[in-house]
Amino acid sequence: GNSVTQMEGPVTLSEEAFLTINCTYTATGYPSLFWYVQYPGEGLQLLLKATKADDKGSNKGFEATYRKETTSFHLEKGSVQVSDSAVYFCALSDQGSNSGYALNFGKGTSLLVTP
Amino acid sequence: DGGITQSPKYLFRKEGQNVTLSCEQNLNHDAMYWYRQDPGQGLRLIYYSQIVNDFQKGDIAEGYSVSREKKESFPLTVTSAQKNPTAFYLCASSISPIGPTEAFFGQGTRLTVV
């Protein structure tokens, strides 16, 4: 079946530090991969996506590359800001046995950036 | 503005009561989804619908029911059979149920059993 594993948090960084949040996946087909961000008390917002191997998704300084050989989609940002503090979810969309193409999520990684 | 609207934002339920969470979208999306979020567990799929008048159980459907009578609406009922309903509920939609695609989310409803 499909699954997503991401590093557990919380992750605490100082402002302007480099961020990496690891994400690996298992899929039976050819999934699309996503990173979502959730601010306290809110829904999820799409941060970036990649639809095929070697694609790089990018948005607001965040990047992630779809690596089929390592089944990974790690999220990176070169210099984090206090406003990046949130929970980040890695997700995939692929044909599931009982879920159609519904997104399958990792457990989320909480990021706290301190001034 | 196009988007997904969930209501209410906060909901309190007494033991043994059924409650219905509203989800409306004006994105003209075919597929809609309900997820449950608990601390440290990510999002788990409750039900999904790929087309009007059709819906399928997700991974944790027990104690929940849905309907899809209109394309833009996908209400979720949390029944008294759901043993631990306190959670954050998220509704989402995607443009097509065919093929991998991103989903767009509402702002969520926080349900608390009192």
Side-chain angles (χ1 to χ4, degrees):
Chain A
N2 299 330
S3 67
V4 176
T5 302
Q6 63 182 103
M7 62 186 285
E8 297 198 11
V11 174
T12 303
L13 295 173
S14 298
E15 204 164 23
E16 299 183 2
F18 184 86
L19 168 71
T20 299
I21 301 178
N22 291 336
C23 172
T24 57
Y25 68 90
T26 302
T28 54
Y30 300 93
S32 290
L33 302 174
F34 308 89
W35 278 99
Y36 281 83
V37 59
Q38 184 180 36
Y39 298 100
E42 297 187 5
L44 274 67
Q45 301 174 25
L46 178 65
L47 182 59
L48 53 83
K49 68 177 183 181
T51 58
K52 62 183 186 297
D54 300 325
D55 268 2
K56 177 186 282 188
S58 62
N59 186 27
K60 300 180 182 179
F62 291 90
E63 293 184 338
T65 301
Y66 189 148
R67 300 286 187 200
K68 190 174 181 182
E69 64 275 16
T70 54
T71 61
S72 65
F73 193 55
H74 305 321
L75 182 69
E76 297 180 336
K77 187 175 185 183
S79 176
V80 294
Q81 305 300 312
V82 171
S83 57
D84 293 327
S85 299
V87 180
Y88 292 82
F89 290 93
C90 185
L92 69 80
S93 176
D94 187 24
Q95 179 74 53
S97 59
N98 66 342
S99 60
Y101 285 95
L103 289 169
N104 194 314
F105 287 89
K107 293 188 176 182
T109 302
S110 176
L111 170 66
L112 176 64
V113 180
T114 59
Chain B
D1 271 346
I4 300 176
T5 301
Q6 289 188 242
S7 61
K9 190 172 176 64
Y10 299 97
L11 186 58
F12 297 89
R13 189 193 95 171
K14 292 183 179 179
E15 298 260 3
Q17 280 185 337
N18 293 354
V19 290
T20 297
L21 283 60
S22 171
C23 177
E24 302 278 331
Q25 55 100 357
N26 60 5
L27 299 168
N28 200 33
H29 285 175
D30 285 320
M32 297 187 74
Y33 312 89
W34 274 105
Y35 289 89
R36 170 179 171 142
Q37 185 178 19
D38 296 285
Q41 293 200 45
L43 279 73
R44 293 181 289 170
L45 184 67
I46 305 173
Y47 267 97
Y48 66 101
S49 170
Q50 297 177 316
I51 196 170
V52 175
N53 292 322
D54 184 59
F55 49 83
Q56 307 294 330
K57 293 181 179 180
D59 300 319
I60 56 164
E62 184 174 351
Y64 300 97
S65 65
V66 293
S67 62
R68 186 86 186 277
E69 297 176 1
K70 298 186 296 182
K71 187 176 185 177
E72 57 270 24
S73 178
F74 192 42
L76 173 74
T77 297
V78 184
T79 75
S80 56
Q82 170 48 237
K83 299 304 180 189
N84 184 22
T86 295
F88 191 50
Y89 291 87
L90 288 158
C91 179
S93 70
S94 62
I95 191 165
S96 170
I98 302 173
T101 185
E102 66 263 39
F104 297 87
F105 284 81
Q107 292 298 295
T109 293
R110 185 165 297 281
L111 173 64
T112 304
V113 174
V114 297

